[in-house]
Amino acid sequence: MGQGAYIFGCEGVQVTARERAFFRDANPWGFILFARNVDTPDQLKALTGELRDCVGWHAPILIDQEGGRVQRLRAPAWREFQPPLDDINTLGNAERAMWLRGRLIADDLAQVGIDVNCAPTLDVASDVTHPFLRNRCYGTDPDTVAKMGRAMVDGMAAGGVAPVMKHIPGHGRGTADSHKNLPRVSASRDALSIDFAPFKALNDLSMGMSAHIVMEAIDPENPATQSSACINVIRSEIGFGGLLMTDDISMEALNGTVLERGQKALQAGCDMVLHCNGDLNQMQTIAELGLMTNAAQKRADHAALTRPIAQSIDIAALDDEFRSL
């Protein structure tokens, strides 16, 4: 049976009877969790099990656990981290710190049944990057971003957690918060190669998340999420062959109903629509998008089958090492 071309959230800390019936019928490829879904480790582990029971397989369960502002699991039950750019700019061995950060985050996630983290953030930061994003980035030059991103990916993989690189093909030049408004970038086609470079360096990853941003030099009308020209750049110039999901389809950078937004994204070439707010009525509408295409299903199957397996390690020693940095 094919799977729906969408990833869904749920409303609270347990799956309701209505959600359970809907997920069973809609058959989403995976689920994404937010702070509203998090109470205790035991509760969260039970929730990830409930969600997988709804679809009858070990479906991917995603979260945004970047550290800093974007961190759904919080103290005292889980580790907390500084924003990535703060650590990278201040720690003595930033590359090792990012590996440790990835491995420790993966330890927290894997223990509660979460096996996909929406990281690394490979957007290249600059003085114009909107504050909603800037200190979530890994550097101000593409080589540093790629190196730190790879370290984060390798650390998470060692802990059994798969990455989703974002926001492809690059959100660093955005001067607006795409949760609220649509950023527009007027940089030249040549200049945009700087933004593409970290994604190109990590184009072997199995999952990526699109950017709700207009790159006028490529497509002056449509945000990358809904632009066949931008997605062609992602597939050809950047060389990313993995599963391409949208950023949250309910963000206000996009126009139209959530269904219209999702339709435009899939028509442009995204494989899957990410819907995050847990609104059941909206999810029922999004489910009208139907199944993934055959090509998208193959990429989704590859992403699911290549989720890493945790390697045994002395976590307490890694905690100590990270604190020592």
Side-chain angles (χ1 to χ4, degrees), residues 173-243:
R173 296 178 190 268
T175 57
D177 179 351
S178 52
H179 293 88
K180 301 173 183 177
N181 299 288
L182 178 60
R184 302 186 67 89
V185 172
S186 59
S188 71
R189 189 68 173 73
D190 286 346
L192 290 174
S193 64
I194 294 171
D195 302 73
F196 302 161
F199 297 100
K200 190 171 185 177
L202 277 77
N203 66 11
D204 58 301
L205 300 190
S206 64
M207 288 177 278
M209 181 185 293
S210 69
H212 296 338
I213 190 168
V214 172
M215 292 181 164
E216 294 175 346
I218 301 171
D219 183 341
E221 301 296 328
N222 300 296
T225 297
Q226 299 174 328
S227 167
S228 57
C230 284
I231 292 175
N232 182 58
V233 167
I234 290 169
R235 294 303 192 195
S236 58
E237 185 172 340
I238 291 174
F240 175 62
L243 180 70

Side-chain angles (χ1 to χ4, degrees), residues 5 8 11 13 26 37-38 43 46 50-51 58 83 117 163 191 194 220 222-223 261 273 284 289 309 323:
F8 287 147
E11 184 178 25
V13 296
N37 307 121
V38 177
Q43 165 271 323
E50 285 181 80
L51 289 168
H58 196 77
N117 191 16
I194 294 171
N222 300 296
R261 296 173 187 185
V273 168
Q284 288 170 330
L289 293 172
I309 297 171
R323 281 194 294 268

Side-chain angles (χ1 to χ4, degrees), residues 4 38 41 54 63 68 98 104 146 149 167 173 184-186 192 195 245 272 285-286 311 322:
V38 177
C54 291
I63 201 164
M98 289 303 287
L104 295 172
H167 307 83
R173 296 178 190 268
R184 302 186 67 89
V185 172
S186 59
L192 290 174
D195 302 73
M245 65 186 72
M272 190 171 296
T285 300
I286 289 285
Q311 303 164 14
F322 187 72

Side-chain angles (χ1 to χ4, degrees), residues 280-295:
L280 183 56
N281 291 331
Q282 286 190 12
M283 291 190 289
Q284 288 170 330
T285 300
I286 289 285
E288 295 177 29
L289 293 172
L291 305 180
M292 282 181 272
T293 65
N294 289 338

Side-chain angles (χ1 to χ4, degrees), residues 6-282:
Y6 31 74
I7 294 168
F8 287 147
C10 60
E11 184 178 25
V13 296
Q14 293 179 307
V15 180
T16 66
R18 287 185 67 211
E19 287 172 335
R20 186 175 295 107
F22 167 68
F23 293 148
R24 184 190 62 237
D25 293 340
N27 198 27
W29 179 74
F31 300 94
I32 187 163
L33 301 179
F34 280 79
R36 67 176 183 271
N37 307 121
V38 177
D39 184 14
T40 67
D42 286 345
Q43 165 271 323
L44 191 52
K45 189 171 183 178
L47 176 61
T48 58
E50 285 181 80
L51 289 168
R52 289 180 169 125
D53 286 345
C54 291
V55 291
W57 72 293
H58 196 77
I61 295 185
L62 293 69
I63 201 164
D64 295 281
Q65 190 75 352
E66 300 174 7
R69 210 168 54 256
V70 180
Q71 183 166 316
R72 313 308 182 196
L73 309 186
R74 294 280 182 180
W78 293 281
R79 300 172 178 90
E80 294 217 19
F81 295 87
Q82 295 297 313
L85 194 58
D86 293 0
D87 272 356
I88 289 165
N89 285 339
T90 58
L91 298 183
N93 185 342
E95 192 171 356
R96 177 64 178 171
M98 289 303 287
W99 187 94
L100 290 166
R101 180 189 185 101
R103 183 63 183 84
L104 295 172
I105 286 174
D107 183 60
D108 281 338
L109 300 184
Q111 289 193 37
V112 292
I114 298 168
D115 56 8
V116 180
N117 191 16
C118 296
T121 304
L122 299 183
D123 308 304
V124 180
S126 72
D127 291 342
V128 305
T129 305
H130 190 280
F132 101 93
L133 179 64
R134 193 178 192 281
N135 68 0
R136 297 166 56 195
C137 299
Y138 292 177
T140 55
D141 69 272
D143 289 343
T144 297
V145 173
K147 183 187 298 183
M148 299 302 156
R150 182 66 72 180
M152 179 74 171
V153 165
D154 289 347
M156 291 194 300
V161 171
V164 180
M165 63 178 180
K166 60 190 186 187
H167 307 83
I168 191 169
H171 207 305
R173 296 178 190 268
T175 57
D177 179 351
S178 52
H179 293 88
K180 301 173 183 177
N181 299 288
L182 178 60
R184 302 186 67 89
V185 172
S186 59
S188 71
R189 189 68 173 73
D190 286 346
L192 290 174
S193 64
I194 294 171
D195 302 73
F196 302 161
F199 297 100
K200 190 171 185 177
L202 277 77
N203 66 11
D204 58 301
L205 300 190
S206 64
M207 288 177 278
M209 181 185 293
S210 69
H212 296 338
I213 190 168
V214 172
M215 292 181 164
E216 294 175 346
I218 301 171
D219 183 341
E221 301 296 328
N222 300 296
T225 297
Q226 299 174 328
S227 167
S228 57
C230 284
I231 292 175
N232 182 58
V233 167
I234 290 169
R235 294 303 192 195
S236 58
E237 185 172 340
I238 291 174
F240 175 62
L243 180 70
L244 181 62
M245 65 186 72
T246 70
D247 201 347
D248 182 9
I249 207 70
S250 60
M251 288 164 63
E252 293 309 309
L254 305 179
N255 292 321
T257 67
V258 288
L259 179 59
E260 291 166 343
R261 296 173 187 185
Q263 288 170 332
K264 286 187 69 175
L266 295 183
Q267 288 164 3
C270 284
D271 293 320
M272 190 171 296
V273 168
L274 179 65
H275 182 272
C276 295
N277 66 23
D279 183 308
L280 183 56
N281 291 331
Q282 286 190 12

